[in-house]
Amino acid sequence: MATTTLRAPRDAARAPRASSTSWAPISAATLSLLAGWVHVAYAQSHWRQWWAYGLFFVATGVVQALFAIAIMRRPRPGVAVAGIVANLGIVAMYVLSRTDGPPLGPHAGVTERAGTIDLATTAGEIVLVGVLLTLAGRGGRRTIVNALAVAGLLLWVLRLTGNLP
Amino acid sequence: MEFSRRDLLKLGLFGSAALMLPAERVARTELAVINRMPESRLPGPFTVPFAVPPVLQPDHVTPTTAYYTIEQRQVSAEILPGLPTTIWGYNGMTPGPTIVNHQGQQAVVRQINNLPDVHPSLRYKVWTSTHLHGSASLPQYDGYASDITEPGQYKDYVYPNIQDARTLWYHDHGVHITATNAQMGLAGVYILHDPIEQALPIPHGDYDVPLVIKDAMFQQNGELIFDDNNQSGMYGDVILVNGKPWPLMQVEPRKYRFRILNASISRSYRLALDTDDPLVVIGTDGGLMPHPQPVGDLRLGMAERYEVVIDFAKYKPGQRVVLRNLQPPNNIDYTNTNVVMAFEVGAAVSDASHNEVPVDLNPNMRTMGLTEADAVRTRHFDFGRADGEWVINSKTWADIVNSDYEYVAANPGFEDVEIWELQNDSGGWFHPVHIHLVDFKILDRNGRPPHPYELGPKDVAYVGEGEIVRVLMRFEHQRGKYMMHCHNLVHEDHDMMTQFEVGFGGDDPMHADRAAPLPAGPLFTEPERPQSGGDAGSGSGSGSAPQQPATAPGGGTTGAGGSGSSASGSTTSGSPGKSTSPRKHRRSRRKPHKPSKAKASSAKPSKATPSKGKATSHKPAKRKPATGAKPKKARKPLVRRSPKRS
């Protein structure tokens, strides 16, 4: 069947081309470490608001640091996809906190103000997702890119129709 | 592995949403600031006529209670001549209508939140909580910040009016969004009269004028700008008095009594006349001072009120007298923030009565009679900044929320007298500190005597840069949890607010009487036939003149004169002759106290009535058993229909 002949070989997906492996893991690790450092740096101020906020920031920072090590040692599609999912979760929480307010805690429902550092960090995480997509394998990449397009479209529709504050 | 153009577009769709939606609010503010109305297009000072907010007429009046309804709604108002400004107003106006009441007659004010679900430009979810600043209200009617009323809900606030005559104000106190809610316009004056004050020969009626001072900044299209300067404060380049920019007031050559309120979000003022004539201060936050204090200038922090008499008789007809602002440090000043308003003196006096300032105003008042020897303990509170938050003793309101509203920074006993030291180590900020429920006496400021204009009962202390202000107060009138916070509302929102609990067994402000969804039930209902024997309470009947008070041992006044609505100086009117059953206010689904508070189990229920020696018409209400709150449950009428009698 034509569909089977068009699909990329499994080995090819698991072993990205040399051009990707040369720069993608290093870039991903660097971006992840930077984002993790920012989260750890801001953990204390969030801890003051609520211990769970602080714990979220510490956990996020630690996971991003560990992920930097993991992606350097094993730049495989599975690791990349795990990183994509985790960072998208962090980005989603950020968007929620800046549009509808955090879902839990003493500031639940209170929209936080976006600042330069948190916007830059989020931009870095989106770039990180893009970098990780180059390591994710062709099939996984297509699925994730399409899902991101749908999510982005949904956010804009919700905002433009007034359903997202 | 390369991305196709289509992939990049898809990623861009997501990335733009993830970054632009959060940045949108910041961008709106920044664009608004860039689009600020140039000073050349602002009205010149003293070109707009002065106006006074109208007095709110009660829906109904009984000998014991006056009932009011206020709707919070968004309207387009003309603040700058010829330009529409979207505001939130009590009954669609800012300042809201003035409420006038008399000591001994409680008020029930229904606050209906008909605001939009989200702020029109900042896009935050909207809620309100209405605080009557200066009232010894029960905890659930004090505008507890987290006791919120959402759009489509309403709440009936009960105000006991048991205190001495004073200038109060009602304003929004919704948690974390107070600054912008108030800047949108949610503030109004509430005047309480008592027989002592009414009997004084000081100016009354048309010569008793509220001045609500506030600053604002506008875009070129007339809309407000909300720039909190990185959570330091919100400042405007236009000074509004009663909602008018730098107005010009026509006055007669006689004495006027001005009730000056600083309703600004973050700006303090130092007021003085350009003639260098004195301002005679006769009242402070908590009412009349023992004796008048002539001062050359007067520092006015946010939420502070001073009653000032200015004598225009000394000026020539046609002379213009300017009320200046000497601009205290640590505000952001603009070209015309150094003036507030002007008075133009006329030639004739239409009423020469009540044109004096006696030497004794209220010499035996209870608060100012307190001495340090009365205090049973001293507490210390540091107001500062840590980790990007404004804190009190290193705590924030988030700590209160995290404790399920159980944490209290202090737990003075009921009727205990305490000294609180309020410290501000910073050289770059001032903090007007408001302690709810109580009136206090300022003992000293960095060890020096308070300013002459502070020699009256206060509920806000201007804690200036590097200052320690000691205040002395009796925790009376009510039991329960009350807030203390900085009245720079930006500081309050981020998160310089804590709470204390007076005694044990007070009503739970979060659950005792929650907001309910609209449509609201009737505020009151007419009885089918008048009750024989009249209503309980000490009122003398609607429309009657207030009785002279008896002086209580502590110098306080008894509230025996439950006055009607047509007492001297009041513009409220009721329905004389009609009688309704007083509302049996729902009270206190109290939460059980934690075991650590051992006294809680044996504590007496909180009294609706004040301390000994004060008789009021406020009736203790029946308590319901402690159960979980059901805030969405529809309400019953506030006043129940009297049963038919055969």
Side-chain angles (χ1 to χ4, degrees), chain B residues 67-140:
Chain B
Y67 297 89
Y68 300 89
T69 302
I70 290 179
E71 182 190 9
Q72 303 161 9
R73 60 176 185 258
Q74 177 173 301
V75 298
S76 182
E78 185 179 309
I79 297 174
L80 299 179
L83 285 173
T85 303
T86 304
I87 63 145
W88 291 348
Y90 293 114
N91 284 352
M93 63 184 81
T94 182
T98 300
I99 299 176
V100 181
N101 269 302
H102 294 263
Q103 185 189 52
Q105 184 185 45
Q106 74 171 4
V108 177
V109 180
R110 171 166 292 176
Q111 289 283 354
I112 298 172
N113 185 342
N114 271 334
L115 296 171
D117 290 334
V118 295
H119 187 279
S121 60
L122 301 177
R123 307 293 304 168
Y124 64 78
K125 285 189 289 187
V126 175
W127 53 72
T128 63
S129 176
T130 306
H131 170 51
L132 179 55
H133 188 133
S135 171
S137 308
L138 283 165
Q140 63 270 38

Side-chain angles (χ1 to χ4, degrees), chain A residues 20 44-45 48-50 88 95 98-100 106-107 109-111 114 130 141 145-146 148-149 156 159 164-165, chain B residues 1-3 10-11 13-14 16-19 21-22 24-26 28 123 125 176 386-387 389 394 398 401-402:
Chain A
S20 291
Q44 188 182 351
S45 58
R48 174 180 289 283
Q49 294 176 339
W50 190 32
L88 286 178
V95 173
R98 265 61 181 176
T99 53
D100 204 45
H107 289 191
V110 180
T111 309
R141 186 177 70 168
V145 168
N146 287 335
L148 288 177
W156 277 118
R159 173 64 191 91
L164 191 66
Chain B
M1 190 175 287
E2 303 297 329
F3 286 110
K10 290 174 179 175
L11 282 174
L13 189 62
F14 173 78
S16 64
L19 293 173
L21 295 186
E24 182 190 5
R25 290 169 177 77
V26 181
R28 279 173 184 266
R123 307 293 304 168
K125 285 189 289 187
H176 295 309
D387 295 327
E389 297 278 340
S394 301
V401 179
N402 293 335

Side-chain angles (χ1 to χ4, degrees), chain B residues 262-542:
Chain B
N262 179 358
S264 291
I265 307 302
S266 304
R267 181 180 295 282
S268 65
Y269 302 81
R270 185 179 288 279
L271 303 177
L273 296 175
D274 67 341
T275 58
D276 293 331
D277 288 317
L279 302 162
V280 180
V281 184
I282 62 168
T284 50
D285 307 331
L288 291 171
M289 305 169 87
H291 311 286
Q293 301 290 333
V295 296
D297 59 74
L298 170 68
R299 186 175 64 177
L300 183 68
M302 294 79 80
E304 285 189 296
R305 289 91 69 207
Y306 288 103
E307 296 184 25
V308 171
V309 172
I310 301 176
D311 188 358
F312 296 104
K314 66 184 74 166
Y315 305 119
K316 298 172 186 170
Q319 184 172 346
R320 183 172 287 187
V321 179
V322 176
L323 184 62
R324 299 169 61 204
N325 172 25
L326 304 182
Q327 305 190 133
N330 291 312
N331 293 283
I332 299 177
D333 298 321
Y334 297 91
T335 303
N336 285 325
T337 51
N338 60 348
V339 289
V340 176
M341 65 177 293
F343 308 95
E344 195 163 81
V345 184
V349 175
S350 54
D351 183 354
S353 66
H354 295 97
N355 196 24
E356 298 173 37
V357 178
V359 174
D360 291 329
L361 295 165
N362 197 7
N364 298 318
M365 73 162 319
R366 190 173 159 93
T367 301
M368 297 310 289
L370 293 173
T371 66
E372 284 191 55
D374 298 324
V376 297
R377 67 184 66 82
T378 298
R379 301 181 197 266
H380 186 88
F381 297 93
D382 266 315
F383 292 77
R385 190 154 171 83
D387 295 327
E389 297 278 340
W390 297 102
V391 297
I392 302 173
N393 283 356
S394 301
K395 296 280 188 183
T396 64
W397 188 252
D399 294 308
I400 311 296
V401 179
N402 293 335
S403 71
D404 197 20
Y405 306 99
E406 289 296 321
Y407 172 83
V408 291
N411 191 191
F414 184 66
E415 298 221 321
D416 276 1
V417 176
E418 295 194 358
I419 294 170
W420 285 13
E421 294 176 343
L422 313 173
Q423 181 164 7
N424 172 18
D425 277 334
S426 160
W429 308 106
F430 60 91
H431 299 295
V433 175
H434 174 37
I435 304 174
H436 284 229
L437 177 68
V438 295
D439 296 336
F440 55 73
K441 172 183 177 179
I442 296 182
L443 287 174
D444 50 47
R445 191 178 283 284
N446 280 355
R448 294 188 294 275
H451 300 295
Y453 51 80
E454 293 177 320
L455 297 175
K458 299 277 295 166
D459 56 37
V460 179
Y462 194 115
V463 186
E465 299 81 353
E467 282 190 340
I468 301 176
V469 179
R470 292 197 314 146
V471 300
L472 176 69
M473 65 212 127
R474 183 187 301 277
F475 291 88
E476 56 187 352
H477 298 310
Q478 314 288 2
R479 292 177 168 86
K481 291 172 185 156
Y482 291 89
M483 298 172 287
M484 174 173 69
H485 59 89
C486 174
H487 226 290
N488 181 332
L489 298 181
V490 175
H491 296 185
E492 177 193 319
D493 284 341
H494 300 282
D495 205 13
M496 196 176 248
M497 184 158 66
T498 189
Q499 68 175 0
F500 59 94
E501 182 170 18
V502 179
F504 292 100
D507 291 351
D508 178 354
M510 282 296 289
H511 299 97
D513 194 355
R514 299 298 300 267
L518 294 168
L523 183 59
F524 57 89
T525 50
E526 298 287 343
E528 299 215 344
R529 52 185 294 184
Q531 289 181 303
S532 61
D535 289 311
S538 57
S540 58
S542 182

